[in-house]
Amino acid sequence: MLRKLLLRTSAARRSLSGAGASGSRVLPDRRPSPSLSPSPRGPASRFYASASSQVPGGTFVEHVDDGGADGPTSRPSAAISVDRSALCNPPEHSHEPTADSELVKHLKGIIKFRGGPISVAEYMEEVLTNPKAGFYINRDVFGMEGDFITSPEVSQMFGEMIGVWTMCMWEQMGQPSKVNLVELGPGRGTLMADLLRGTSKFKHFTEALHIHMVECSPTLRKLQHSNLKCIEGENVSQDVGHRTISTLAGTPVTWHAALEQVPSGLPTIIIAHEFYDALPIHQFQRASRGWCEKMVDIQEDSSFRFVLSPQPTPANLYLMKRFQWAADEEIEKLNHIEICPTAMDLTQTIAKRISSDGGGALIIDYGQNGVISDSLQAIRKHKFVDILDDPGSADLSAYVDFAAVKHSAEEASEDVSVHGPITQCQFLGALGINFRVEALLQNCTDEQAESLRAGYWQLVGEGEAPFWEGPDEQVPIGMGTRYLVTAIVNKKQGAPIPFS
Ligand code: SAH
């Protein structure tokens, strides 16, 4: 169970200029990022309404372990156990006692002020997107120098293939003269940059595009602005006002804090790559008194610990909803379950937008097509760490429940159809990544060819790359079957490629 791609690769993404179908030239690594000035500490922007569990009716959650039928006890031996057996390296703790970070103080403040623990979802949301000190907010977390690497950073071919899918979708939509292209959680903006470079020859398409980046991090917004080679538009007609233009394909770009802020009324294509896994999840554990929500509390030594809620929380409503979508046998075998109300709500927003405006959405993430049991993990500097250790310094992410995505979309609108999930390998293969890699290999140095092959393997392969001759600890690990792809489209357009 690898979270994103743990850094076992030296195949740093090589940038190949001119992403047209042929004649590309290999350039050196894209890695060095522009120096980033500290992010402005703007107003708090909380992006998707959290369904995090505050204690219902103002009663406090007891700091208890599940004490069985005789009631709760405070025995530490009954503390919640989290199975990390499937992790490829054990979590690391930061051993030296350190002063509480700004975020730790903030989390402790919430728990103390509320007089009780907070849900895992609230913890996760604060850790990742707290407007002052969240993990994503003030730094570039991607790549060799960061905490993890994602497919767009592995190879330009990834964004190019998403470009192929987007263009096909646009054609199926009847080639509208204006289309909103929305990316949720664009990271460094690499996927969008490769998509634009790759499609820049198709003027009809790029002239129709209005790009909308949904991003919570001021630091990453700046990086996206830079990677999309944006300029501030001057010669724009009065009614349009000030515009930011990506010079990669001459397309207008706008940033938003949430999908709801993207103007509606135009046909829309939405891309969400490794966005859903960052949405806050609630965890429940089966106890003698039924399903209890797992909460985060402070223990006597002032560190964080998990406790169980002694009574139902608001998230129980979503748990019940999720159960309705599952077979009894699927639930019976579980003692632990994760649900993501924010993902359910977001999917409904997507489905309604696609229903009213036309278009489609593509969701790519690691996960499974069914109930998720216990997948939440923390990664710092390419290593698994304890979820409660030094929050804000490590990424938190969880598997995506693609079955819940499908049900949420179908529940929201009868006008949309949901396709997949299929594996990333099937998806990229059907879109022609083999031809693309062959074309790029025609015109590159030996070193670049090695990098391309390693990148190709990472995107579509499974397990360790068989051809690898470099150091063992750097062998590329395939993401081809661990990552799944699903599409939500307006039924008017018919099934999207390659799901048709
Ligand atoms: N899609 C990129 C980045 C994935 S990491 C890639 O594959 O490389 C998750 C991204 O989502 C980051 O850009 C992060 O800042 C953004 N993000 C996370 N939670 C968010 C939220 N609630 N609202 C808006 N952006 C969010």
Side-chain angles (χ1 to χ4, degrees):
M1 290 218 309
L2 288 178
R3 152 70 173 127
K4 294 179 178 160
L5 191 67
L6 286 182
L7 188 62
R8 295 183 65 192
T9 174
S10 65
R13 180 199 155 90
R14 311 272 165 171
S15 169
L16 292 103
S17 73
S22 62
S24 299
R25 200 165 48 81
V26 183
L27 295 174
D29 274 7
R30 165 185 295 224
R31 219 177 321 149
S33 55
S35 60
L36 300 172
S37 54
S39 66
R41 306 221 155 158
S45 41
R46 311 315 305 267
F47 305 99
Y48 296 100
S50 164
S52 50
S53 301
Q54 291 167 6
V55 184
T59 54
F60 298 136
V61 173
E62 291 174 46
H63 297 217
V64 294
D65 301 313
D66 177 37
D70 295 328
T73 72
S74 57
R75 279 178 301 130
S77 57
I80 290 166
S81 63
V82 177
D83 177 17
R84 294 193 183 80
S85 55
L87 297 184
C88 73
N89 48 3
E92 286 195 348
H93 297 259
S94 40
H95 293 289
E96 296 105 53
T98 46
D100 281 355
S101 66
E102 197 179 344
L103 187 66
V104 169
K105 282 186 203 148
H106 175 68
L107 287 164
K108 288 181 177 173
I110 300 177
I111 294 169
K112 280 183 187 149
F113 177 73
R114 201 171 285 163
I118 55 174
S119 68
V120 171
E122 193 170 358
Y123 175 82
M124 190 173 170
E125 189 175 1
E126 289 292 343
V127 167
L128 294 182
T129 59
N130 177 280
K132 277 191 178 165
F135 173 75
Y136 284 116
I137 300 300
N138 300 318
R139 68 194 118 162
D140 175 11
V141 297
F142 305 94
M144 314 279 273
E145 308 297 317
D147 295 278
F148 57 84
I149 193 163
T150 56
S151 294
E153 304 300 332
V154 165
S155 169
Q156 68 179 72
M157 292 184 287
F158 189 78
E160 290 168 0
M161 291 300 117
I162 305 297
V164 171
W165 185 86
T166 306
M167 261 190 70
C168 292
M169 189 74 231
W170 173 73
E171 279 177 5
Q172 274 184 283
M173 289 156 68
Q175 304 191 348
S177 60
K178 282 185 177 178
V179 61
N180 281 336
L181 175 57
V182 183
E183 186 176 358
L184 304 179
R188 284 178 167 169
T190 308
L191 185 160
M192 189 59 81
D194 289 329
L195 183 157
L196 290 179
R197 281 197 199 94
T199 57
S200 60
K201 287 183 187 152
F202 303 93
K203 294 285 175 225
H204 240 65
F205 171 66
T206 54
E207 281 167 10
L209 292 180
H210 289 241
I211 294 171
H212 299 273
M213 309 285 259
V214 175
E215 175 57 65
C216 65
S217 162
T219 304
L220 292 175
R221 282 184 183 202
K222 280 188 198 159
L223 201 44
Q224 291 155 17
H225 187 282
S226 156
N227 283 338
L228 291 181
K229 308 237 175 304
C230 285
I231 52 167
E232 299 310 312
E234 284 161 18
N235 302 323
V236 192
S237 63
Q238 277 179 345
D239 52 326
V240 180
H242 175 86
R243 264 187 175 187
T244 303
I245 307 284
S246 165
T247 55
L248 294 178
T251 45
V253 188
T254 319
W255 277 265
H256 311 270
L259 177 58
E260 287 83 349
Q261 293 172 9
V262 176
S264 55
L266 284 186
T268 298
I269 300 174
I270 300 171
I271 311 291
H273 178 254
E274 290 222 32
F275 181 70
Y276 270 65
D277 68 277
L279 299 177
I281 55 143
H282 293 259
Q283 294 189 318
F284 287 84
Q285 186 160 303
R286 199 196 284 276
S288 54
R289 57 182 183 273
W291 286 99
C292 297
E293 181 157 10
K294 209 157 124 184
M295 316 286 282
V296 177
D297 198 8
I298 312 169
Q299 52 191 349
E300 274 158 25
D301 69 358
S302 187
S303 60
F304 293 109
R305 65 164 178 170
F306 289 117
V307 294
L308 287 184
S309 165
Q311 59 200 44
T313 57
N316 275 75
L317 292 174
Y318 280 91
L319 184 68
M320 293 306 118
K321 187 170 180 179
R322 183 63 190 87
F323 282 168
Q324 283 166 13
W325 296 333
D328 288 347
E329 312 83 68
E330 199 182 359
I331 303 301
E332 274 160 17
K333 61 183 183 208
L334 297 177
N335 284 321
H336 193 280
I337 189 169
E338 290 174 354
I339 56 160
C340 189
T342 310
M344 295 184 196
D345 293 347
L346 170 66
T347 306
Q348 300 220 329
T349 305
I350 290 174
K352 284 178 190 156
R353 179 66 69 102
I354 298 297
S355 161
S356 61
D357 290 350
L362 191 67
I363 299 164
I364 308 175
D365 231 304
Y366 53 100
Q368 62 193 40
N369 194 19
V371 175
I372 310 289
S373 175
D374 190 0
S375 73
L376 181 64
Q377 52 200 26
I379 291 185
R380 183 189 304 129
K381 297 282 171 210
H382 306 276
K383 287 189 170 151
F384 290 110
V385 295
D386 193 277
I387 290 162
L388 299 179
D389 183 49
D390 194 11
S393 68
D395 184 31
L396 291 181
S397 77
Y399 267 36
V400 174
D401 176 351
F402 281 89
V405 169
K406 179 181 168 67
H407 286 290
S408 302
E410 288 173 347
E411 192 183 86
S413 171
E414 288 183 350
D415 301 330
V416 300
S417 56
V418 184
H419 304 265
I422 58 175
T423 64
Q424 176 161 301
C425 174
Q426 291 170 318
F427 178 77
L428 296 177
L431 288 173
I433 193 169
N434 292 4
F435 298 107
R436 182 63 183 140
V437 74
E438 287 303 328
L440 291 170
L441 285 168
Q442 299 298 313
N443 198 3
C444 64
T445 65
D446 288 351
E447 194 196 344
Q448 290 159 343
E450 190 188 347
S451 168
L452 268 173
R453 287 199 189 93
Y456 169 81
W457 173 266
Q458 282 177 245
L459 294 182
V460 301
E462 183 180 10
E464 297 192 351
F467 57 81
W468 186 250
E469 289 173 1
D472 278 356
E473 66 279 7
Q474 294 176 359
V475 60
I477 308 284
M479 301 155 116
T481 53
R482 285 181 296 120
Y483 282 68
L484 301 179
V485 187
T486 213
I488 303 169
V489 300
N490 190 303
K491 282 181 182 167
K492 276 190 280 189
Q493 279 117 224
I497 61 134
F499 301 89
S500 37

